[in-house]
Amino acid sequence: MPYVKELESIILNRKSIRNYDNTKIITDSKINDILNYVRHTPSAYGLEPWKILVISNPKIKKELQPIINNQEQVSSCSHLFILLSYSGETFNTSNDWFMKTVMKNRNLTKVQYETYKLTFNNFFDVEQKVQISHWAQCQTFILLQNLLLLLTAHEIDNVVLGGFNKKLLLQFLETNKLIEPHKYHVAVLVCAGYGHSSKTKIIKREPDEISAIIK
Ligand SMILES: Cc1cc2nc3c(=O)[nH]c(=O)nc-3n(C[C@H](O)[C@H](O)[C@H](O)COP(=O)(O)O)c2cc1C
């Protein structure tokens, strides 16, 4: 069990940090390392229904802050991770991009793809837009957890942000051509950087309160 202690210690050490020193910047090599490992997150059908925008540009972070409930950590953190999930409006079997993604992912010919499509049981049917978007967002939260663990393992402080205006944030990213239009929803955000020292740890509920072992 060579990794258990390390993993337990990473989980125990992670806590939300909201108070960043904006003069301390995460190095590009650490960011690249993290992105290189976070991509190994599992996903249904291996479709990886996400994209990660990593924003370090101070002007863009400042402009984003009002859209993200004016949370101060958006502009003071070193890097803002925006986790985008595929939108059902685009990611469905009637879409060319969907077909190309599945074919590339699975190394399928067009004929094989037609057969494989049936295994999706109509889940990716064009009528199921909301369900597909929800499916993609849920999976992006697995990516989120891996990202938090990686950041913490690198001793980079972090906090998840779910408080933002979804519509305005997406509009901002599309209008500024930071992402292709209509392809994504914003799933969740993470601020990362180096915080000031006061770190209070939230008390967690005990195992018998949050779980039941059935034998
Ligand atoms: C989905 C999600 C959304 C969150 N949104 C915010 C947020 O908008 N702003 C914030 O300061 N913290 C946010 N948090 C952080 C939680 O407040 C924090 O995880 C919780 O209080 C437990 O503290 P801990 O992370 O230190 O264990 C969010 C966490 C999650 C998982």
Side-chain angles (χ1 to χ4, degrees):
M1 307 274 237
Y3 310 120
V4 173
K5 285 287 160 226
E6 280 89 342
L7 183 57
E8 286 172 351
S9 136
I10 292 164
I11 290 172
L12 278 182
N13 275 307
R14 186 215 55 81
K15 53 198 142 203
S16 296
I17 301 296
R18 300 176 177 84
N19 195 6
Y20 291 94
D21 179 344
N22 65 5
T23 62
K24 294 186 182 155
I25 306 297
I26 308 167
T27 61
D28 286 348
S29 87
K30 279 196 178 182
I31 294 288
N32 290 333
D33 254 9
I34 287 163
L35 293 175
N36 192 30
Y37 284 93
V38 82
R39 74 193 169 89
H40 292 280
T41 298
S43 63
Y45 300 109
L47 286 171
E48 303 172 72
W50 50 62
K51 182 183 175 95
I52 311 168
L53 277 189
V54 190
I55 300 186
S56 60
N57 182 304
K59 182 171 170 283
I60 298 178
K61 285 188 292 166
K62 194 114 206 140
E63 285 170 1
L64 284 172
Q65 189 175 321
I67 303 171
I68 306 171
N69 283 0
N70 221 11
Q71 302 196 59
E72 199 272 330
Q73 57 265 37
V74 171
S75 48
S76 62
C77 71
S78 164
H79 288 65
L80 175 68
F81 288 74
I82 302 184
L83 307 194
L84 303 153
S85 50
Y86 285 179
S87 80
E89 289 79 358
T90 309
F91 202 66
N92 57 61
T93 43
S94 71
N95 179 274
D96 224 36
W97 173 54
F98 177 91
M99 183 182 77
K100 281 184 189 142
T101 306
V102 173
M103 281 174 63
K104 182 174 165 233
N105 229 286
R106 299 256 152 193
N107 205 12
L108 301 178
T109 62
K110 223 166 176 170
V111 175
Q112 287 170 322
Y113 168 74
E114 288 306 318
T115 314
Y116 189 75
K117 218 166 80 171
L118 300 174
T119 67
F120 290 142
N121 291 332
N122 289 330
F123 181 81
F124 292 100
D125 191 272
V126 67
E127 300 304 324
Q128 304 288 339
K129 294 184 179 76
V130 175
Q131 190 186 340
I132 297 168
S133 296
H134 182 65
W135 164 90
Q137 184 176 12
C138 287
Q139 288 179 70
T140 306
F141 273 72
I142 308 172
L143 185 87
L144 166 71
Q145 182 58 18
N146 277 344
L147 176 62
L148 298 180
L149 294 177
L150 282 161
L151 288 166
T152 308
H154 278 271
E155 297 184 296
I156 296 169
D157 293 322
N158 55 77
V159 62
V160 180
L161 301 183
F164 55 88
N165 185 317
K166 268 192 141 183
K167 203 170 151 198
L168 287 183
L169 182 48
L170 196 59
Q171 225 170 49
F172 178 96
L173 300 174
E174 291 185 350
T175 313
N176 287 285
K177 300 197 171 8
L178 299 176
I179 55 172
E180 294 160 68
H182 314 303
K183 204 163 163 178
Y184 305 102
H185 288 297
V186 182
V188 68
L189 316 177
V190 175
C191 291
Y194 299 100
H196 294 294
S197 58
S198 70
K199 296 180 180 179
T200 44
K201 184 145 173 68
I202 294 271
I203 309 284
K204 302 293 176 182
R205 289 191 285 154
E206 294 299 323
D208 62 354
E209 285 185 78
I210 59 146
S211 54
I213 298 170
I214 316 239
K215 287 189 176 169

